[in-house]
């Protein structure tokens, strides 16, 4: 079916709002609908979630507030008779529904063409046995695993692979039912839970402690490919990506590792035959270049939304256009309007994604983090250094924190246990451990967080300690003349320290608390005092922007960021 023959397209939305689903996929669906509107194609949306942008008036031409389930979608298809259907913009729910419609013959019955990635390619990535077979064909390593349909098969597979193992429920979103098992008792309990979510359970050899890295890859029907963004989890393998702090671009990979994984991602997407966008997740041995492919998401994922905003490359918009039959070389950059979208963004800044939990709202919930997702949202922060972006993000997660340091005292009764068994407060446990004298190596052994990240976190603590040595600043500012005090601020000891604090993400209030101003005046005035001091030094931020999105949506200032470097 050619582009000109497509007059009406059905888009499966993100489904009901719940943990691990819906909110993060609204961005993808809204972008796809925008692409259809630009092409003059009538869009039909099925999504029961009224609290989304994609269901707002004027975004889609026709909206059905119905569950994203095969029986409801078939009735809409029967009534609307769309020419094509988009499956990859509503997360796992939409993907599963699309596969069911295909297998039941509904799409063939009504002559509905699947736009973008073929259904067989989706099945190849979702069914673990087929996935391993497909990647074996091109010599790409995957994690040793067994697909099981009974508890007995799970037990047999676990003993063959050897403990520890990880159980994953196939076709499940947000890592539902998954988890690590160190013994038979844990295995049986986890298997029972996993089978409640899916008829197929995957038993995999555990690679806990390896790095987790992702690549966002785009391919058109002419076999042109680009990698738009790569990301690295701060936490090692064993914690769901949605539960981990994620950094883009990767910070600890060598040039060789980066290009090896990039080349593999392109090789995989070409072999499977994905058209549009996909996400390739790797486990990477921190002590060698050995790797395993964890999974390939043949759809827009949670990471895709992050990558779009981080790079300014509208992944879902481009993926929708590619699904309609365009090539990457056909699409224009939305800023220049002349150059093609066939380019890979180059980031001269660091983006940090930090999850947000609401575990305090639930009674009896386990606060331990693992391979099953519990977070309810996330924030994205941009800076010129990792430290700056991290501290900005920690101020935004809504837990009353001021950054990595200078927070109200968090009571952690057992630091060593809290480092070894991660919870939603893990990053603040690391902060406390560094402050009381744990070395980078000790924390690394307990958490398996890469030493590079820990050195950067220690750098923040070191600056904080240096600021605490200048508590007399608050005293001398009271009796010195403004001109004398300004001269003192400009001294070789003080000025570089204040500049470093701002470059590495300290807020004015954090600095005020560190130098003791909070003890003498109200919180708001303390921060304003530091602001006045740094203005004396001419220490003010510059405004930077992420080009594509800032130009496309000039009113949305969240695509502008301040930096002191």
């Amino acid at each position: 079916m050619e582009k000109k023959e497509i007059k009406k397209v059905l888009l499966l939305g993100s489904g009901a709002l719940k943990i691990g689903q819906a909110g993060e996929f609204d961005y993808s669906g809204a972008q796809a609908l925008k692409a259809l509107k630009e092409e003059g194609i009538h869009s039909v949306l099925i999504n029961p979630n009224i609290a989304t942008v994609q269901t707002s008036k004027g975004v889609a031409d026709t909206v059905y507030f119905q569950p994203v389930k095969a029986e409801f979608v078939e009735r809409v298809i029967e009534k609307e008779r769309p020419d094509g259907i988009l499956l990859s913009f509503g997360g796992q729910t939409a993907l599963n529904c699309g596969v069911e419609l295909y297998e039941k013959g509904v799409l063939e019955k009504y002559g509905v063409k699947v736009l973008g990635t073929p259904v067989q390619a989706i099945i190849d990535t979702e069914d673990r046995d087929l996935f391993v077979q497909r990647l074996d064909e091109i010599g790409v390593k995957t994690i040793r695993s067994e697909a099981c349909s009974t508890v007995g098969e799970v037990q047999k597979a676990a003993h063959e692979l050897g403990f520890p193992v990880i159980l994953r429920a196939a076709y499940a979103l947000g890592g539902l039912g998954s988890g690590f098992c160190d013994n038979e008792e844990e295995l049986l309990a986890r298997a029972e839970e996993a089978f409640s979510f899916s008829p197929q359970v995957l038993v995999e050899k555990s690679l806990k402690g390896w790095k987790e890295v992702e690549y966002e890859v785009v391919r058109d029907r002419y076999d042109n490919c680009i990698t738009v963004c790569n990301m690295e989890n701060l936490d090692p393998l064993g914690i769901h990506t949605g539960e981990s702090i994620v950094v883009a671009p990767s910070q600890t990979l060598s040039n060789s590792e980066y290009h090896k994984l990039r080349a593999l991602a392109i090789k995989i997407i070409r072999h499977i035959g994905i058209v549009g966008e996909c996400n390739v997740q790797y486990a990477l041995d921190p002590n060698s270049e050995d790797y395993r492919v964890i999974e390939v998401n043949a759809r827009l994922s949670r990471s895709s939304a992050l990558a779009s905003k981080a790079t300014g490359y509208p992944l879902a918009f481009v993926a929708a256009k590619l699904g309609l039959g365009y090539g990457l070389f056909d699409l224009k950059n939305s800023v220049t309007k002349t150059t093609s979208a066939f380019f890979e963004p180059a980031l001269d800044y660091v983006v940090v994604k930090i999850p947000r939990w609401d575990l305090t709202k639930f009674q009896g919930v386990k606060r331990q983090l693992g391979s099953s997702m519990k977070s309810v949202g996330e924030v994205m922060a941009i800076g010129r250094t990792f430290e700056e972006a991290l501290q900005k993000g920690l101020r935004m997660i809504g837990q009353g924190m001021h950054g990595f340091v200078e927070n109200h005292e968090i009571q952690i009764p057992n630091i060593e246990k809290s480092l070894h068994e991660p919870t939603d407060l893990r990053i603040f446990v690391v902060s406390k451990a560094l402050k009381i004298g744990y070395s980078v190596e000790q924390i690394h052994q307990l958490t398996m967080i890469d030493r590079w990240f820990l050195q950067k976190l220690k750098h923040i603590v070191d600056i904080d300690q240096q600021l605490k040595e200048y508590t007399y600043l608050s005293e001398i500012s009271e009796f010195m003349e403004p001109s004398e005090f300004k001269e003192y601020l400009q001294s070789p000891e003080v000025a570089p320290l204040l500049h470093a604090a701002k470059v590495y993400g300290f807020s004015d209030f954090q600095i005020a608390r560190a130098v003791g101003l909070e003890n003498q005046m109200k919180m708001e005035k303390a921060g304003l005092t530091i602001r006045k001091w740094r203005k004396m030094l001419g220490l003010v931020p510059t405004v930077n922007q992420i080009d594509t999105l800032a130009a496309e949506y000039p009113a949305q200032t969240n695509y502008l960021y301040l930096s002191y470097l």
Side-chain angles (χ1 to χ4, degrees):
M1 187 180 288
E2 294 297 320
K3 294 192 287 287
K4 60 185 178 184
E5 298 174 16
I6 302 172
K7 306 296 183 187
K8 183 185 284 191
V9 170
L10 175 66
L11 187 141
L12 301 185
S14 48
L17 190 61
K18 56 188 174 185
I19 293 175
Q21 180 193 0
E24 56 269 31
F25 300 114
D26 183 36
Y27 176 84
S28 304
Q31 285 277 308
L33 291 167
K34 180 186 168 191
L36 294 175
K37 189 176 285 288
E38 189 173 280
E39 291 296 314
I41 295 171
H42 185 96
S43 57
V44 180
L45 170 67
I46 301 179
N47 191 11
N49 188 358
I50 61 172
T52 53
V53 172
Q54 61 187 266
T55 53
S56 298
K57 187 176 180 180
V59 178
D61 296 305
T62 307
V63 181
Y64 286 88
F65 292 104
Q66 300 293 335
V68 184
K69 293 188 175 179
E71 58 267 32
F72 292 97
V73 176
E74 182 176 2
R75 290 168 66 186
V76 172
I77 290 173
E78 185 181 7
K79 180 185 177 187
E80 293 288 342
R81 299 299 173 113
D83 303 307
I85 185 170
L86 290 169
L87 307 178
S88 49
F89 298 89
Q92 193 69 45
T93 300
L95 213 61
N96 291 350
C97 179
V99 170
E100 188 179 344
L101 290 168
Y102 171 79
E103 290 178 338
K104 285 183 174 179
V106 173
L107 301 181
E108 186 180 5
K109 178 182 176 182
Y110 294 99
V112 182
K113 178 178 171 58
V114 175
L115 304 177
T117 301
V119 176
Q120 188 55 52
I122 294 170
I123 294 170
D124 287 347
T125 59
E126 293 292 313
D127 185 294
R128 192 68 190 184
D129 282 341
L130 287 174
F131 177 66
V132 172
Q133 286 173 27
R134 294 288 280 150
L135 265 58
D136 280 347
E137 291 168 6
I138 53 173
V140 173
K141 296 180 183 178
T142 52
I143 298 174
R144 285 184 62 204
S145 68
E146 297 286 343
C148 306
S149 54
T150 67
V151 174
E153 288 178 10
V154 167
Q155 287 178 289
K156 183 183 175 186
H159 286 290
E160 286 176 357
L161 293 170
F163 289 104
V165 295
I166 181 172
L167 262 58
R168 296 180 191 274
Y171 303 99
L173 55 89
L176 274 177
S178 69
F180 287 88
C181 308
D182 293 320
N183 52 54
E184 188 89 13
E185 186 182 344
E186 290 178 7
L187 181 79
L188 293 172
R190 186 68 68 183
E192 190 176 327
E193 183 184 359
F195 278 120
S196 69
F197 294 113
S198 172
Q200 187 187 64
V201 171
L202 312 172
V203 183
E204 299 177 351
K205 182 63 181 171
S206 171
L207 297 177
K208 208 169 186 177
W210 285 32
K211 294 180 185 181
E212 189 165 351
V213 184
E214 302 177 51
Y215 280 73
E216 298 295 326
V217 197
V218 175
R219 176 181 176 268
D220 64 20
R221 65 174 180 166
Y222 305 103
D223 213 23
N224 297 308
C225 297
I226 60 170
T227 55
V228 171
C229 184
N230 92 313
M231 291 168 273
E232 176 180 13
N233 286 16
L234 183 139
D235 295 297
L237 194 70
I239 294 178
H240 192 282
T241 301
E243 305 284 83
S244 177
I245 293 174
V246 177
V247 187
S250 58
Q251 302 293 304
T252 73
L253 268 61
S254 67
N255 193 48
S256 172
E257 289 169 335
Y258 171 82
H259 284 287
K260 178 179 180 177
L261 298 183
R262 177 187 177 276
L264 282 169
I266 291 173
K267 187 177 181 180
I268 291 165
I269 191 175
R270 281 179 168 157
H271 183 67
I272 292 175
I274 288 164
V275 176
E277 195 270 354
C278 86
N279 167 268
V280 183
Q281 295 181 19
Y282 295 99
L284 180 67
D285 185 355
N287 302 312
S288 71
E289 289 192 1
D290 195 15
Y291 74 92
R292 298 290 185 277
V293 175
I294 301 171
E295 64 179 359
V296 174
N297 285 315
R299 57 176 171 83
L300 278 293
S301 66
R302 186 176 300 104
S303 303
S304 308
L306 171 66
S308 297
K309 295 170 185 176
T311 61
Y313 190 102
L315 274 166
F317 182 86
V318 170
K321 293 270 189 167
L322 297 180
L324 295 173
Y326 284 96
L328 279 166
F329 47 83
D330 292 323
L331 303 176
K332 300 300 180 186
N333 180 302
S334 51
V335 177
T336 64
K337 307 293 183 186
T338 54
T339 55
S340 78
F342 196 4
F343 75 98
E344 296 188 356
L347 278 61
D348 62 348
Y349 49 86
V350 178
V351 176
V352 174
K353 179 221 83 175
I354 302 175
R356 183 182 186 279
W357 294 270
D358 273 339
L359 300 182
T360 51
K361 293 182 179 178
F362 302 97
Q363 286 195 355
V365 69
K366 292 181 180 178
R367 301 187 81 105
Q368 276 72 33
L369 305 183
S371 57
S372 183
M373 188 172 154
K374 296 176 182 176
S375 64
V376 294
E378 56 196 32
V379 300
M380 184 186 89
I382 310 170
R384 303 289 275 194
T385 65
F386 167 72
E387 295 97 318
E388 179 191 10
L390 178 80
Q391 294 226 78
K392 281 181 178 178
L394 291 174
R395 284 195 281 275
M396 291 192 291
I397 55 174
Q399 292 184 336
M401 303 303 177
H402 299 288
F404 185 65
V405 292
E406 296 302 339
N407 298 306
H408 290 298
E409 198 63 30
I410 301 170
Q411 298 302 318
I412 302 162
N414 189 330
I415 293 278
E416 192 162 317
K417 183 183 178 186
S418 298
L419 287 171
H420 185 62
E421 299 173 7
T423 68
D424 54 317
L425 295 174
R426 181 179 220 193
I427 191 70
F428 302 110
V429 175
V430 173
S431 174
K432 178 133 183 172
L434 287 167
K435 279 191 278 189
I436 65 173
Y438 275 69
S439 69
V440 164
E441 188 57 35
Q442 284 175 304
I443 298 173
H444 169 72
Q445 293 301 330
L446 288 165
T447 63
M448 296 308 293
I449 295 173
D450 192 275
R451 294 177 184 87
W452 187 91
F453 289 120
L454 295 175
Q455 289 286 2
K456 294 295 180 182
L457 297 176
K458 185 176 184 300
H459 185 211
I460 297 173
V461 173
D462 289 344
I463 292 173
D464 187 50
Q465 293 300 323
Q466 291 174 49
L467 287 168
K468 289 182 183 301
E469 294 172 12
Y470 285 83
T471 51
Y472 54 84
L473 272 172
S474 56
E475 299 167 13
I476 61 175
S477 65
E478 296 297 317
F479 61 83
M480 265 190 183
E481 291 294 325
S483 58
E484 284 184 287
F485 187 64
K486 181 180 179 181
E487 189 177 332
Y488 180 74
L489 283 179
Q490 292 171 334
S491 68
E493 296 82 24
V494 180
L497 180 58
L498 289 177
H499 182 258
K502 297 306 293 182
V503 164
Y504 295 109
F506 281 72
S507 66
D508 289 341
F509 175 72
Q510 274 179 295
I511 297 172
R513 179 173 274 182
V515 300
L517 275 175
E518 190 194 17
N519 300 328
Q520 299 186 19
M521 55 189 76
K522 291 182 178 178
M523 183 187 291
E524 297 82 4
K525 191 177 177 185
L528 289 172
T529 301
I530 294 296
R531 185 168 184 260
K532 183 175 73 176
W533 290 2
R534 62 177 173 79
K535 283 196 165 186
M536 286 183 189
L537 292 169
L539 189 55
V540 292
T542 55
V543 179
N544 305 271
Q545 74 175 28
I546 297 177
D547 295 334
T548 304
L549 290 179
E552 192 176 351
Y553 308 110
Q556 295 190 23
T557 54
N558 54 316
Y559 297 118
L560 304 175
Y561 69 97
L562 298 176
S563 181
Y564 287 82
L565 187 61

